[in-house]
Amino acid sequence: MKLLNTDTVKEARDKLGERCRETMLRTEIVGLRDAAGRILAETIISHENIPPYRRSIVDGYAVMSKDLAAAGDMIPSMLKITGEVLLGSDPAGLRAEPGCCVYVPTGGYVPDGADAVVMIEYCEPFAGGMLAVSKSVSAGENIVRIGEDMAEGDTLLEKGRKLRPQDTGVLAAAGVCEVRVFVPWRVSIISTGDELVGPGEKPGPGQIRDINTYTIAARSGAEGFDVVRTASVRDDRDAIVKALETARDESDVVIMSGGSSQGKKDMSAELIGELADSGVLTHGIAAKPGKPTITGFDRASATVFIGLPGHPAAALMVYEQTLIRLWRELTCQPEERRLRARVTVNVPAAPGRRTFQLVRLSGGDMPEAEPVFARSGMILPVSAADGYFEMEENREGVRPGDMVDVVLWK
Ligand code: AMP
Ligand code: MG
């Protein structure tokens, strides 16, 4: 079987994206406790001002700042204490009047009339309800204004954001108890190869331990996908078909690894062609690593099929560039942050192919990227790499001193 109609990585993603956008992007509503780690499917706008009242950031006395203009260590200013604000309640008619002050705890409501709060450390109560203050304050000092944290109408969190713990705090503060998020894809992983044994087994002559099942499952989990099934299957047509059919019934994405090139026992393309009603959409991508890559989409069951190369480094990179990126694009996630770094040595690009080069980073203010070469089938260098940079299809390579943008490994 020949590698026909080689696509760029983007073409491969777009072909899948066009077909699965409608059927494969489901959303659901989750409560705040389940929101972290999920991808927002709506933009959240503030309907309130937070804080909704002027809030003190210290324990102290609410004052009119001009009353303390001359206050200092040597000559404190004297104010009359006219009341105390209780935390969690409104000041009940209390007002700061000239020459007077009101006690306010941290987080308390700053009464009308006051324009600053002086910290308790600078205050000393005296008999007769008087307070000596040994420090001046400027207007606004120690007060968070109404709406200073979030104002009514502010965009709080945008669609496509992967919610972090602190984001759930924003939602809680804004009174948003439920949010609409994308339903993660259910993923099945089928590793194929007569040579594969499990990680708990001792490989015999010509055998190796199955790596891809574990890297791809873990990478899926890290992206938030739901890994519903993994299977390691021999290069046996019937066994693979059976595994693919079961996986199709249970998942949104069926990932095969191995058997994607043109060897005698390589069946990915043929089987994906049979199982996906689109037929094979992409047969080979113009990428290094990762040329033998196959995709298909079965509309009837709404299932994406991907045949990844067997080589672990290639399988992981192709998975990243196809399915993970597709998910991120469809769910409106921003591009991942990249770290600018200086390349230390010559790195050639593969002509006509997009090259993904693993690197290790060193250095502080100006990071240096040293290429890591993982020969076919090797995994330790992949693990030692901090990330990778891309070289476009028409690029010849990079030279020492060139700057590149490194995507950090998840
Ligand atoms: P294949 O695409 O099946 O020809 O596999 C290419 C290379 O990747 C071969 O050397 C396989 O032994 C190796 N390989 C395939 N699947 C796995 C796997 N799940 N874990 C580790 N290596 C694999
Ligand atoms: Mg194989």
Side-chain angles (χ1 to χ4, degrees):
M1 195 165 299
K2 275 176 49 197
L3 289 181
L4 303 166
N5 58 29
T6 299
D7 288 333
T8 64
V9 195
K10 183 164 183 340
E11 282 164 353
R13 273 200 310 271
D14 289 349
K15 281 184 182 177
L16 277 177
E18 275 163 32
R19 286 164 178 86
C20 73
R21 182 179 294 275
E22 257 102 71
T23 40
M24 285 193 42
L25 266 196
R26 296 185 307 275
T27 64
E28 63 182 338
I29 299 217
V30 293
L32 263 187
R33 288 285 300 276
D34 298 315
R38 304 296 300 271
I39 313 298
L40 261 186
E42 58 176 345
T43 291
I44 307 288
I45 308 285
S46 176
H47 297 295
E48 295 172 22
N49 285 313
I50 306 292
Y53 56 90
R54 294 191 309 151
R55 197 170 175 215
S56 175
I57 61 170
V58 294
D59 291 318
Y61 288 86
V63 298
M64 293 178 144
S65 59
K66 61 179 185 328
D67 284 345
L68 298 180
D73 270 348
M74 306 302 285
I75 311 171
S77 296
M78 298 303 287
L79 298 174
K80 181 158 182 54
I81 304 172
T82 52
E84 175 176 348
V85 170
L86 297 176
L87 208 52
S89 45
D90 76 32
L94 277 176
R95 267 191 72 86
E97 304 286 351
C100 299
C101 63
V102 175
Y103 177 76
V104 188
T106 302
Y109 193 123
V110 176
D112 290 348
D115 68 350
V117 178
V118 60
M119 277 172 85
I120 200 161
E121 284 82 342
Y122 302 106
C123 303
E124 204 185 332
F126 273 82
M130 296 304 287
L131 187 77
V133 183
S134 59
K135 190 174 174 287
S136 63
V137 280
S138 46
E141 197 168 322
N142 295 327
I143 296 176
V144 178
R145 294 188 313 276
I146 292 171
E148 187 176 334
D149 192 357
M150 35 185 119
E152 192 179 337
D154 275 357
T155 297
L156 302 181
L157 299 164
E158 300 217 30
K159 179 177 177 178
R161 186 180 183 92
K162 184 167 202 168
L163 292 170
R164 301 174 302 168
Q166 49 272 47
D167 299 333
T168 66
V170 169
L171 296 170
V176 180
C177 300
E178 295 181 321
V179 284
R180 186 166 285 282
V181 294
F182 289 103
V183 177
W185 283 340
R186 290 163 305 161
V187 169
S188 287
I189 299 151
I190 300 167
S191 294
T192 66
D194 285 337
E195 73 281 29
L196 301 181
V197 299
E201 294 171 64
K202 183 128 188 84
Q207 296 184 320
I208 52 156
R209 296 195 177 98
D210 172 11
I211 295 171
N212 295 341
T213 297
Y214 300 92
T215 50
I216 301 300
R219 184 64 189 86
S220 305
E223 199 60 29
F225 297 161
D226 186 7
V227 180
V228 291
R229 172 181 290 268
T230 63
S232 190
V233 185
R234 300 184 70 78
D235 288 317
D236 172 83
R237 194 175 204 284
D238 293 343
I240 300 176
V241 169
K242 204 161 152 247
L244 286 172
E245 284 174 346
T246 310
R248 177 190 58 191
D249 296 342
E250 293 175 343
S251 22
D252 303 302
V253 180
V254 176
I255 301 154
M256 271 179 92
S257 98
S260 65
S261 46
Q262 302 166 63
K264 257 207 268 177
K265 294 197 158 185
D266 291 342
M267 291 171 268
S268 293
E270 185 190 329
L271 297 183
I272 289 177
E274 283 175 23
L275 278 147
D277 53 24
S278 71
V280 168
L281 289 173
T282 294
H283 193 173
I285 54 172
K288 185 191 170 193
K291 196 162 186 204
T293 298
I294 292 135
T295 70
F297 180 63
D298 186 47
R299 185 170 297 277
S301 63
T303 314
V304 167
F305 286 90
I306 297 207
L308 300 176
H311 294 301
L316 196 55
M317 189 58 83
V318 169
Y319 187 49
E320 191 81 24
Q321 302 309 325
T322 54
L323 198 83
I324 301 274
R325 268 183 197 254
L326 176 64
W327 164 253
R328 297 176 66 99
E329 282 170 9
L330 292 179
T331 55
C332 307
Q333 295 184 54
E335 286 243 341
E336 65 268 88
R337 286 215 188 94
R338 295 176 189 226
L339 188 75
R340 222 162 159 63
R342 189 179 299 282
V343 184
T344 52
V345 297
N346 257 322
V347 188
R353 295 201 269 162
R354 183 166 282 253
T355 306
F356 300 93
Q357 178 61 55
L358 295 175
V359 290
R360 255 183 120 141
L361 292 170
S362 59
D365 287 350
M366 174 43 69
E368 293 196 328
E370 179 201 341
V372 171
F373 295 99
R375 302 189 68 193
S376 198
M378 288 171 37
I379 186 68
L380 188 57
V382 181
S383 158
D386 294 304
Y388 64 91
F389 70 89
E390 297 179 31
M391 289 182 276
E392 280 160 23
E393 286 80 354
N394 54 8
R395 194 120 183 218
E396 276 176 18
V398 293
R399 290 162 199 268
D402 283 356
M403 301 300 291
V404 293
D405 293 315
V406 177
V407 180
L408 298 178
W409 268 145
K410 263 259 176 196

